[in-house]
Amino acid sequence: MAKRVSLWNAGCPVARALDVIGDWWSLLILRDAFDGTTRFNEFQSGLGIAKGMLASRLRHLTERGILETAPASDGTAYREYVLTEKGRGLFLVVVALRQWGEAHLYEPNDPRSRLVDRDAGAPVARLVLRSADDRRLGWCDTRVEKPDVT
Amino acid sequence: MAKRVSLWNAGCPVARALDVIGDWWSLLILRDAFDGTTRFNEFQSGLGIAKGMLASRLRHLTERGILETAPASDGTAYREYVLTEKGRGLFLVVVALRQWGEAHLYEPNDPRSRLVDRDAGAPVARLVLRSADDRRLGWCDTRVEKPDVT
DNA sequence: CACAAGTGGTCTCAAGATGAAACCAGATCG
DNA sequence: CGATCTGGTTTCATCTTGAGACCACTTGTG
């Protein structure tokens, strides 16, 4: 689905990433995929998305190598959508969004889903940015280095 | 700008976060903001966004407490848009997107911007998800725990 | 096997979101 | 003071999205 503007050729990885998953639905579809959803109808009823949109998004994510279709694991002739390695790489993006949402968008006691460690059952730790030599870095300890234009 | 569907009341922090910054332009605006952009015209020419859209997005981000307007730091009577504490919290989301883009969307030698440690000048380390007791966690080591519905 | 229901879509149409460009008021510059 | 820059608003044409009808194939039921 051609966007009005394509960022595909941008020299910035953020822009290129958004070109692939920057629309309203893609990250929600991925969130559900990480949560175990695999079937068209599951996505559709879970998200309340229009079928046409869902078909278009799933096609797009598949073309971009984030999802792939596989024969249904329950033995029926239907297909299911599963995350590829590349798609699983987006897990941290979803986690970062979740942690920001938890920290800034809820009152302390609002009910909300939590991401927990499967073994311990405890909430996961907050993500932290570190330098190559393992110092903790904040936003202002970093800068963006433009590519060489030589 | 009311979206067709609002996710604001979702019990999922990911959905609620996307309700705020899930559209095509918001994360790009934030990326530029993290990169030091503060003025309307800077955003507009840097992104190639239509002025109406930009005004609408900036208003939205301001209403949601992610940006705020301040008197221009250069002494003129103009205003500038700066990130709030809440907005700076989105830094890790942008970093996660960047790292995924770098890892999966570029050929090894394609030129691209990099996020580097300001002191050492070296690229930052990859984000890692850890448990409360500091074990490294992968996607399948976690699960989403739904809120109590008692 | 016949038939109803479920799955995984496509197609169409109205409404909403977006891009482009004109226009404008106040601030700044020379 | 007039020209230009900044930070928008308004309007309009176009693209995207949501809702729902429709359809082919699969599965389940008797």
Side-chain angles (χ1 to χ4, degrees), chain A residues 135-143, chain B residues 116-120 124:
Chain A
R135 280 171 296 117
R136 232 180 146 99
L137 296 178
W139 159 53
C140 33
D141 302 319
T142 65
R143 67 188 158 77
Chain B
V116 302
D117 172 359
R118 195 181 285 274
D119 288 341
V124 302

Side-chain angles (χ1 to χ4, degrees), chain B residues 92-126:
Chain B
L92 286 184
V93 173
V94 176
V95 171
L97 275 170
R98 170 180 289 277
Q99 293 191 343
W100 180 77
E102 285 184 356
H104 295 280
L105 268 20
Y106 285 83
E107 296 300 316
N109 292 321
D110 277 353
R112 58 185 182 269
S113 66
R114 289 169 193 280
L115 184 70
V116 302
D117 172 359
R118 195 181 285 274
D119 288 341
V124 302
R126 299 226 37 185

Side-chain angles (χ1 to χ4, degrees), chain A:
Chain A
M1 301 274 68
K3 276 289 174 188
R4 213 58 74 80
V5 184
S6 170
L7 267 21
W8 183 247
N9 293 313
C12 172
V14 180
R16 206 176 272 203
L18 288 172
D19 190 65
V20 180
I21 50 138
D23 66 281
W24 176 247
W25 288 112
S26 291
L27 280 168
L28 286 169
I29 291 171
L30 287 168
R31 178 202 61 172
D32 280 12
F34 282 120
D35 211 22
T37 299
T38 57
R39 302 282 283 261
F40 190 95
N41 275 357
E42 277 184 297
F43 284 112
Q44 205 224 329
S45 56
L47 293 170
I49 184 178
K51 298 176 82 170
M53 263 284 83
L54 178 58
S56 147
R57 289 299 151 226
L58 288 174
R59 193 182 315 126
H60 179 241
L61 290 171
T62 304
E63 283 166 1
R64 298 302 194 109
I66 289 167
L67 295 176
E68 61 190 358
T69 53
S73 53
D74 61 0
T76 62
Y78 299 119
R79 291 181 307 162
E80 56 186 35
Y81 294 88
V82 297
L83 289 158
T84 61
E85 173 59 29
K86 183 173 172 181
R88 286 192 293 274
L90 285 162
F91 186 55
L92 286 184
V93 174
V94 176
V95 172
L97 275 170
R98 169 182 288 277
Q99 292 192 343
W100 180 79
E102 286 184 356
H104 296 279
L105 267 22
Y106 285 82
E107 296 302 316
N109 291 321
D110 276 353
R112 56 185 183 267
S113 66
R114 290 168 190 280
L115 184 70
V116 302
D117 173 359
R118 196 182 284 275
D119 289 341
V124 302
R126 298 229 34 185
L127 292 169
V128 174
L129 182 64
R130 292 182 179 277
S131 65
D133 56 346
D134 217 38
R135 280 171 296 117
R136 232 180 146 99
L137 296 178
W139 159 53
C140 33
D141 302 319
T142 65
R143 67 188 158 77
V144 173
E145 192 173 76
K146 293 285 189 297
D148 291 344
V149 268
T150 46

Side-chain angles (χ1 to χ4, degrees), chain B residues 117-136:
Chain B
D117 172 359
R118 195 181 285 274
D119 288 341
V124 302
R126 299 226 37 185
L127 291 169
V128 175
L129 182 65
R130 293 183 179 276
S131 64
D133 55 345
D134 217 37
R135 282 170 296 116
R136 230 180 146 98

